[in-house]
């Protein structure tokens, strides 16, 4: 059998088609085929959350989904939600609250935080911690990340 | 690491899956949510020649209430189970367990059927399915058959599913009015595989336990229905003595393995601790 597949999907609003090895996972596809290197590859076993990508509106582990499975799907990476300003307030809050140091985990945290606030606009600190439990940060100790997400939740509530 | 090379087929019908299983046998693996399988491929713990992606087969993605049972299609995602009013009302033990399954990004992909068919002894849903008395529906080219959860899990990652069969649904009896549920697990980080956990459902009639089903995970080579502990509780009201009797009975029920979390003796200790917690919750 052929170990390659042809796929067509929409990534950050643009349709792309590629012929790739079937074993290519989604995060490697966006990084190496599309040169969108904001999604990071950490553990490759679903533990760290650095590869978080949005597929058809929901966050997924980019290392636990094949690019072949995204054929026909709508995919958004940190570059897409950054360019559209969708998460500009989260990015500002992470920056101002020092919620990152090396930044390796940050794209995953931002996409995860955005999904949390979409589901639950005013989460408690415990709910924030539970929701981001699937993302590892080895620099900050999480306190500042929880602060930043909590602040944005408040700002968005106040703006409504 | 990266997976070894394989071919990928997106199946659109069950017949197509049966054809591929006939053709490739053990060299093929079924890809549902992939949240366990993809990790094992990345680690090269398995290297199939063909992956059969079943995610686009219609009719396996709904939650239905019918004839006193909640039927959960094999491809229903954990996040869909978590959001289901049918599950919340009629299968509350499942609703209590799902938030403990991994993390949101994984719950968005992982499937109910995949978790059952993979049969990880440390996973939540196999143990829950024993506590609620679920049945599993298996389909092959020759038809469907139903296997009780209590007869399904045969050993470490080993189930009663035959190589030519595919799990298409789980059927859970609607919880009777006199039964209550409790669920707890111990993990280093919320969402990680549990060190040990317990799912419990059963009758609490006039303050006394009846037909209580405590099912443990992370406590042996498969999800374990704690028969001795459950028997020790029968007809007893909640008391320190009843809790102690159930705890002492666990020695006959559980056979935890030493792992990175600690020795077997520590897990047995933790099994006693969480047993006391769920019984207190059930008695409230």
């Amino acid at each position: 059998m052929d170990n390659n597949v042809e796929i067509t999907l929409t990534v950050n609003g643009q349709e792309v088609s590629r012929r790739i090895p079937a074993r290519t996972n989604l995060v490697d596809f966006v990084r190496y085929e599309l040169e969108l290197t904001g999604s990071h590859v950490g553990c490759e076993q679903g533990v760290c959350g650095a590869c978080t990508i949005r597929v058809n509106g929901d966050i997924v582990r980019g290392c636990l989904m094949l690019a072949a499975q995204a054929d026909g799907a709508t995919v958004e990476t940190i570059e897409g939600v950054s360019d559209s300003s969708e998460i500009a307030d989260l990015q500002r809050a992470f920056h101002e609250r020092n919620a990152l140091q090396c930044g390796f985990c940050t794209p995953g945290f931002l996409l995860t935080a955005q999904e949390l606030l979409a589901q639950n606009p005013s989460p408690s600190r415990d709910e924030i911690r539970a929701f981001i439990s699937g993302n590892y940060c080895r620099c900050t100790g999480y306190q500042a990340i929880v602060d930043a997400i909590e602040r944005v939740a408040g700002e968005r509530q106040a703006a409504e | 690491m990266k997976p070894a090379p394989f071919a990928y087929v997106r199946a659109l019908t069950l017949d197509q899956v049966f054809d591929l299983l006939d053709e490739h046998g053990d060299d093929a693996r079924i890809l549902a949510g992939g949240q366990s399988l993809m990790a094992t491929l990345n680690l090269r713990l398995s290297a199939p020649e063909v992956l059969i992606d079943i995610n686009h087969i219609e009719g396996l993605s709904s939650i239905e209430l019918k004839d006193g049972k909640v039927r959960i299609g094999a491809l229903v995602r954990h996040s869909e189970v978590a959001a289901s009013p049918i599950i919340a009302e009629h299968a509350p033990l499942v609703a209590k367990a799902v938030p403990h399954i991994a993390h949101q990004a994984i719950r968005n992909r992982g499937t109910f059927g995949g978790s059952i068919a993979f049969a990880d002894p440390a996973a939540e849903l196999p143990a829950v399915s024993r506590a609620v008395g679920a049945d599993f529906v298996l389909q092959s080219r020759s038809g469907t058959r139903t296997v009780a959860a209590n007869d399904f899990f045969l050993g470490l990652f080993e189930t009663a599913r035959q190589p030519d069969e595919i799990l298409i649904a789980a059927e859970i009896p609607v919880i009777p009015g006199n039964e209550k549920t409790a669920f707890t697990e111990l993990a280093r980080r919320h969402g990680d595989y549990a060190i040990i956990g317990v799912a419990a459902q059963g009758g609490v009639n006039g303050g006394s336990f009846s037909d209580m089903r405590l099912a443990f995970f992370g406590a042996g080579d498969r999800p374990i229905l704690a028969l001795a502990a459950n028997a020790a509780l029968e007809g007893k009201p909640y008391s320190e003595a009843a809790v102690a009797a159930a705890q002492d009975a666990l020695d006959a029920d559980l056979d935890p393995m030493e792992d990175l979390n600690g020795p077997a003796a520590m897990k047995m200790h933790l099994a006693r601790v969480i047993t006391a917690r769920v019984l207190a919750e059930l008695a409230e």
Side-chain angles (χ1 to χ4, degrees):
Chain A
M1 290 183 81
D2 189 352
N3 287 345
N4 294 290
V5 289
E6 307 214 3
I7 62 170
T8 299
L9 60 161
T10 303
V11 180
N12 299 333
Q14 290 190 317
E15 189 173 286
V16 296
S17 296
R18 291 286 191 284
R19 180 176 168 79
I20 54 165
R23 63 171 166 164
T24 310
N25 66 36
L26 186 57
V27 67
D28 283 342
F29 175 76
V30 300
R31 286 178 59 83
Y32 298 115
E33 287 291 331
L34 307 182
E35 298 183 353
L36 297 168
T37 54
S39 310
H40 294 151
V41 179
C43 68
E44 297 190 314
Q45 49 185 296
V47 176
C48 78
C51 62
T52 304
I53 292 177
R54 213 149 66 180
V55 177
N56 293 335
D58 296 323
I59 55 169
V60 304
R61 295 284 204 244
C63 72
L64 296 185
M65 181 170 176
L66 295 171
Q69 293 182 280
D71 184 29
T74 299
V75 171
E76 293 159 288
T77 68
I78 188 67
E79 289 88 350
V81 294
S82 196
D83 289 350
S84 71
S85 300
E86 181 187 334
I87 57 162
D89 51 359
L90 279 167
Q91 288 168 312
R92 189 180 312 112
F94 269 58
H95 175 203
E96 291 176 1
R97 186 60 190 84
N98 277 345
L100 66 152
Q101 280 183 44
C102 82
F104 187 83
C105 69
T106 311
F109 268 101
L110 290 168
L111 281 166
T112 303
Q114 180 68 356
E115 180 147 324
L116 166 65
L117 296 180
Q119 288 182 12
N120 181 357
S122 51
S124 67
R125 289 182 71 86
D126 282 348
E127 287 171 335
I128 294 171
R129 282 190 177 273
F131 204 91
I132 64 172
S133 69
N135 293 68
Y136 269 136
C137 172
R138 302 286 74 163
C139 301
T140 66
Y142 303 101
Q143 188 76 16
I145 294 173
V146 177
D147 289 348
I149 297 170
E150 188 180 35
R151 182 202 291 185
V152 171
E155 288 170 359
R156 290 188 187 179
Q157 289 287 91
E160 280 189 3
Chain B
M1 291 201 317
K2 309 300 178 191
F6 50 74
Y8 166 91
V9 183
R10 183 179 281 195
L12 298 178
T13 65
L14 285 171
D15 280 337
Q16 198 182 346
V17 177
F18 300 141
D19 287 343
L20 289 160
L21 289 174
D22 283 349
E23 187 180 345
H24 299 284
D26 288 345
D27 295 328
R29 289 294 298 271
I30 291 171
L31 174 62
Q35 301 302 287
S36 299
L37 178 58
M38 281 291 296
T40 67
L41 296 177
N42 288 348
L43 293 166
R44 299 210 179 192
L45 296 173
S46 78
E49 289 179 10
V50 185
L51 283 193
I52 306 169
D53 184 352
I54 61 170
N55 284 277
H56 295 265
I57 296 176
E58 288 186 13
L60 303 182
S61 301
S62 61
I63 299 170
E64 291 162 6
L65 182 63
K66 200 178 164 190
D67 301 333
K69 290 176 181 173
V70 178
R71 184 182 169 101
I72 305 174
L75 289 176
V76 173
R77 314 274 169 193
H78 301 314
S79 56
E80 293 167 339
V81 173
S84 164
I86 292 176
I87 298 285
E89 184 176 351
H90 301 292
L93 186 57
V94 177
K96 284 181 182 175
V98 166
H100 295 271
I101 301 173
H103 315 285
Q104 185 66 34
I106 288 173
R107 290 194 293 270
N108 282 339
R109 290 292 300 168
T111 64
F112 198 98
S115 175
I116 298 299
F118 189 60
D120 189 320
E124 289 83 358
L125 294 178
V128 166
S129 68
R130 296 202 67 175
V132 299
D135 288 323
F136 302 132
V137 184
L138 298 162
Q139 189 165 338
S140 68
R141 203 188 296 284
S142 51
T144 62
R145 68 181 178 119
T146 299
V147 179
N150 286 330
D151 301 323
F152 186 74
F153 301 102
L154 303 181
L156 192 63
F157 301 109
E158 196 184 326
T159 72
R161 185 184 70 85
Q162 296 300 307
D164 63 343
E165 288 179 317
I166 179 167
L167 179 82
I168 60 164
E171 293 181 341
I172 298 170
V174 167
I175 186 168
N178 69 322
E179 293 199 347
K180 295 177 74 175
T181 63
F183 182 95
T184 192
E185 69 175 48
L186 299 170
R188 300 273 307 204
R189 174 179 74 152
H190 180 87
D192 283 357
Y193 273 113
I195 299 167
I196 193 165
V198 61
Q201 180 170 326
V204 186
N205 298 326
S208 295
F209 296 117
S210 73
D211 189 23
M212 187 54 62
R213 286 97 63 194
L214 267 57
F216 285 81
F217 49 102
D221 68 352
R222 69 196 81 176
I224 297 171
L225 196 61
L227 297 174
N230 297 342
L233 291 165
E234 187 63 31
K236 292 202 182 120
Y238 177 73
S239 67
E240 268 185 43
V243 172
Q247 287 174 320
D248 291 343
L250 292 174
D251 287 336
D253 287 323
L254 308 182
D255 184 20
M257 290 172 278
E258 180 179 52
D259 60 22
L260 289 174
N261 291 307
M266 183 196 81
K267 289 195 168 194
M268 284 305 298
H269 169 73
L270 296 176
R272 296 173 70 97
V273 171
I274 60 177
T275 296
R277 286 184 191 170
V278 292
L279 293 178
E281 188 181 333
L282 288 163
E284 274 174 10

